[in-house]
Amino acid sequence: MIEKTYQPAEIETRMSRLWEEAGAFNAGRPERRDAKPFTIVIPPPNVTGSLHMGHALNNTLQDILCRFERMRGRDVLWQPGTDHAGIATQMVVERQLMERQQPGRREMGRAKFLERVWQWKAESGGVIVNQLKRLGASCDWSRERFTMDEGLSRAVIKVFVALHREGLIYKDKRLVNWDPALLTAISDLEVQQVEVKGHLWYLRYPLEGKTFNPDDPSTFIVVATTRPETMLGDTAVAVHPDDERYTDLVGGHVILPLVGRKIPIVADEYSDPEKGSGAVKITPAHDFNDFEVGKRHGLPQISVLDQEGCLTLSSNEDYLRGLPEGALMFAEELQGRDRFAARKLIVSRLEEFGFLERIEPNTHMVPHGDRSGVVIEPYLTDQWYVDAKTLAEPAIAAVRSGATSFVPKNWEKTYFEWMENIQPWCVSRQLWWGHQIPAWYGPDGKVFVAETEEEAVGNALGYYAEQEVITPEQGAEMARDPAKREGFITRDEDVLDTWFSSALWPFSTLGWPDDAADVERYYPTDVLVTGFDIIFFWVARMMMMGLHFMKDVPFPTVYIHALVRDEKGAKMSKSKGNVIDPLHLIDDYGADALRFTLAAMAAQGRDIKLAAGRVEGYRNFATKLWNACRFAEMNGCALPPGFDPAKATETLNRWIAHETALAAREITEAIEAYRFNDAAGTAYRFVWNVYCDWYLELAKPVLMGEDSAARTETRATVAWARDEILKLLHPFMPFITEELWAVTARRDGLLALAPWPRKTELLPEQLPLLTGFAEGDPSITPAIIAASEASADFSDPAAEAEIGWVVDLVTAIRSVRAEMNITPATLTPLVLAGTSTETQARAQRWNDVIRRMARLADISLADRAPEGAVQLLVRGEVAALPLKGVIDLTAERARLDKELAKAEADIKRVDAKLANEKFVANAPEEIVEEEKEKREAATARKAKILEALERLKNAA
């Protein structure tokens, strides 16, 4: 018996437990041993994370696909897991140690600290997994993986060693994003560009061979910089080759202010003649663009900052060599100063000696660490790199050939832009938590890369014996006794970028390189669902690694979903205070309502503007479904064994079978094409409008009438259509549909494993799998399967023509009544003008229903529409509403004219705003978007008013 009130929280807890106990989501179920696999890998959330709205959208869409394909008979593996999240996790544990006033990481030592991290992971990590279960994610939780699992770690080491042997991993000194607080290199994704109100300093660099005079521009070049503290590391000044102002100076030199070092003037297109003075200082060790300029011109790289962002000059012998006495003293004065304190001192000294021309306010973007919050430094350091350019070539070709496609397709352009301009990938991090790089260093710095320490030791002993650094006897003794070789080789302390391990996710989670059977069955995966922000960081790298090691793309389709924004279109952020917590929405409205909202708004390429009101609206939809099922139960609607809707004789019942088949086809095709919003929209309209508002309303007289064959058939059809609805809605709203399936259908079998309403011609290769449903679930009989299969193929144009005409007629009349402000108590006449015999017969059969639902006094026939009647065109025939005497046509026309003027004024006002380039350029994105939406609403309103005015015109 269905409870009177829909209570999502209680249902969700019970259904989650039911699925888990039944192993409903396990891949490789016995009855699907021969079924075609369908595989998705979850984008592994950070083990430190908690569910945010992006996760909710991403996992809802994945779950829709998985539940859909599971119901279509596929052997579904939705692979779950979490990422060890190097920096984030290390920070969490270090903060915990600090809060508890316990010894820090350095005092504790690496081994003890890592023990502590594993302890934290066991106790507190992975909270997000339970949150994903609350959302209804139907992952195979028995296969949950972690990027630091033993098996995955083995895959990481194997890949690193293999790439190193192939020359695709190497060590190099290059610029990296350096976090001076966390003391590690970080990825571009961990860098947040923050708009800062700073300054632009214009500095005078004296020309060599001329006596510097701050009042004589011929004695110096002016360069503009936002970072005067790095000028101490300048190794050139660059001007554009076509900039005639500096043509004669190219090849000459300037004298670096405060330092006295001679540096060249070079011609390079990097310099923009339109910006600043057209001349730029080049500091290869402290700027990514300058680094490239330096490589082109063979410039030295002079680092003037240490790992903590402090000036380091007096200890740098190469830097100090040849400097005049004053510069040496200044270097000593600056030594160890924080970069920003040093900036003030340098600017003060530049001004003192006449080298500062002027200072201008300058708002610009400054990179900050997304976790530490400090300004990031481009820092020159030795790191491990992957030759991404070589690995990218097959990955580019795979997308160009169509082996992998992006949905929406426009994201392929972004992919190509990134991949074709790819730089070496820095994979080393100066952390302790992560996959430690499998590289060992000998006493002379020689590197030995190996899968195990034993292998590295063997390689090192062989090498140094061959080089006669150690004798054969020493080598043999060290090989026998580990104590004898202690300190002989030392392991690299760095760990790998977490993107390195997640790049292997589609095959490492399947047991590669140890378990070939699962890799062979479930790789490649079928589709990847992810956000656009990690196309380069994750999607591209999985493509590179999959093609290199598995010789196949990891997925043929990449579905890129949009952002979830707040209701005004602003990006959610803690600083704005507009973050919407999905868990709060689940608490308030239920997971099904949130899921359906996200699916209904997930139009390809369009960001979602989320408001709690939308979620509440779909909670009402869930309640509507609940009440409809309860109505059916209270009216004795149950599905008899072997019921076939195609054999129904009542026109109304054949109509709902036709409409159900149509909805099933449209929903199926929309999900297959990743048009989640269209699928959800079709389901919503079918359930709310067609089934609840029309079919159940039209069936009420029969259901509440005397016992008859029509009543028996209608009861069965109501129940059949209800069950088909539960199937169609299940991928979107799994909790409520599973509950209603269990209660109303009175079956032991799970809806999650029931057969999807299907077109036989849609997936012919899956027809043999249908018997698997009956074998694996005794409650789902071959007759039920056959009915389900037939449901999506059924069509009855005659039934649709009859009931569709009734629906369209009543809808049109209701629309006019609403437009003309006719009260419900006012009954109006209806005249069918010049209609066919068939339509007249329909009107007679459905007379009582039409009059009741359209609030009509009577229905009559005439050759033509009477004067003063509003004419409606319903399926090509005229239905007229005589409104003279019912409403004041003149007053109604005046009211509509007034409404029209208001709509036109609204459109004009918005157009004026949007035509203002200054407004569009300066207003926040969400404000501009809001104005566009206002225009759309006003335009739609205007169209409706014009339609109403046209009707009144015809009624005159």
Side-chain angles (χ1 to χ4, degrees), residues 76-259:
V76 173
L77 169 58
W78 185 9
Q79 176 64 58
T82 50
D83 189 281
H84 63 277
I87 291 178
T89 305
Q90 186 161 312
M91 281 183 68
V92 166
V93 177
E94 287 197 81
R95 190 182 301 120
Q96 190 181 78
L97 292 172
M98 184 176 66
E99 288 169 354
R100 295 177 182 179
Q101 297 184 336
Q102 295 174 333
R105 172 168 64 104
R106 300 287 177 188
E107 294 89 340
M108 189 179 283
R110 186 173 194 136
K112 289 287 185 186
F113 178 74
L114 291 180
E115 278 182 26
R116 192 58 171 265
V117 180
W118 279 108
Q119 180 186 341
W120 174 87
K121 194 261 179 187
E123 294 173 358
S124 309
V127 168
I128 194 169
V129 168
N130 291 324
Q131 293 172 339
L132 287 171
K133 289 179 180 179
R134 281 199 68 192
L135 186 68
S138 63
C139 298
D140 184 347
W141 297 107
S142 69
R143 290 174 176 254
E144 185 182 340
R145 303 306 300 267
F146 178 54
T147 47
M148 291 278 285
D149 282 351
E150 185 181 340
L152 272 69
S153 296
R154 196 157 50 248
V156 168
I157 298 302
K158 188 175 185 68
V159 165
F160 186 96
V161 172
L163 291 175
H164 182 266
R165 286 174 181 161
E166 295 171 50
L168 295 171
I169 282 186
Y170 56 92
K171 204 159 191 186
D172 194 11
K173 185 183 283 289
R174 294 176 60 90
L175 281 186
V176 296
N177 296 309
W178 185 264
D179 190 312
L182 299 176
L183 302 181
T184 180
I186 61 175
S187 72
D188 289 344
L189 193 64
E190 293 159 323
V191 176
Q192 185 179 11
Q193 296 294 335
V194 178
E195 189 174 82
V196 172
K197 291 181 179 179
H199 297 91
L200 197 59
W201 287 270
Y202 288 80
L203 311 180
R204 302 181 179 110
Y205 280 34
L207 291 166
E208 183 192 23
K210 294 197 176 184
T211 302
F212 174 66
N213 181 349
D215 297 322
D216 183 359
S218 69
T219 64
F220 55 83
I221 284 182
V222 175
V223 300
T225 180
T226 59
R227 304 204 58 202
E229 68 275 15
T230 64
M231 63 159 291
L232 304 175
D234 288 359
T235 55
V237 168
V239 297
H240 195 279
D242 300 331
D243 194 333
E244 295 178 357
R245 294 173 293 176
Y246 303 114
T247 303
D248 295 340
L249 298 179
V250 173
H253 294 79
V254 294
I255 306 301
L256 188 59
L258 307 182
V259 177

Side-chain angles (χ1 to χ4, degrees), residues 345-357:
L345 183 58
I346 290 167
V347 169
S348 172
R349 200 60 56 88
L350 287 167
E351 186 173 23
E352 182 183 339
F353 289 105
F355 297 125
L356 179 63
E357 183 175 87

Side-chain angles (χ1 to χ4, degrees), residues 295 482 590 779 789 815 944:
K295 281 203 302 185
S779 70
E789 181 180 347
S815 178
K944 280 197 161 191

Side-chain angles (χ1 to χ4, degrees), residues 43 58 528-535 538-539 558-562:
N58 180 279
L528 177 75
V529 178
T530 191
F532 66 88
D533 53 335
I534 54 173
I535 291 175
W538 191 45
V539 178
V558 180
Y559 175 83
I560 302 294
H561 62 73

Side-chain angles (χ1 to χ4, degrees), residues 832-901:
L832 299 178
T835 52
S836 64
T837 305
E838 188 177 19
T839 297
Q840 293 173 17
R842 285 176 190 153
Q844 187 173 358
R845 284 193 292 272
W846 296 94
N847 184 286
D848 291 345
V849 169
I850 296 169
R851 287 172 57 194
R852 173 172 57 85
M853 298 187 79
R855 309 295 297 155
L856 298 177
D858 59 66
I859 303 174
S860 60
L861 305 175
D863 293 336
R864 63 177 61 85
E867 288 185 15
V870 171
Q871 295 185 29
L872 310 173
L873 194 65
V874 179
R875 299 209 171 193
E877 296 187 309
V878 173
L881 286 172
L883 295 181
K884 266 190 178 177
V886 177
I887 61 171
D888 185 334
L889 295 178
T890 303
E892 186 59 27
R893 191 176 296 109
R895 184 185 71 82
L896 289 171
D897 282 336
K898 190 175 179 181
E899 288 289 323
L900 179 63

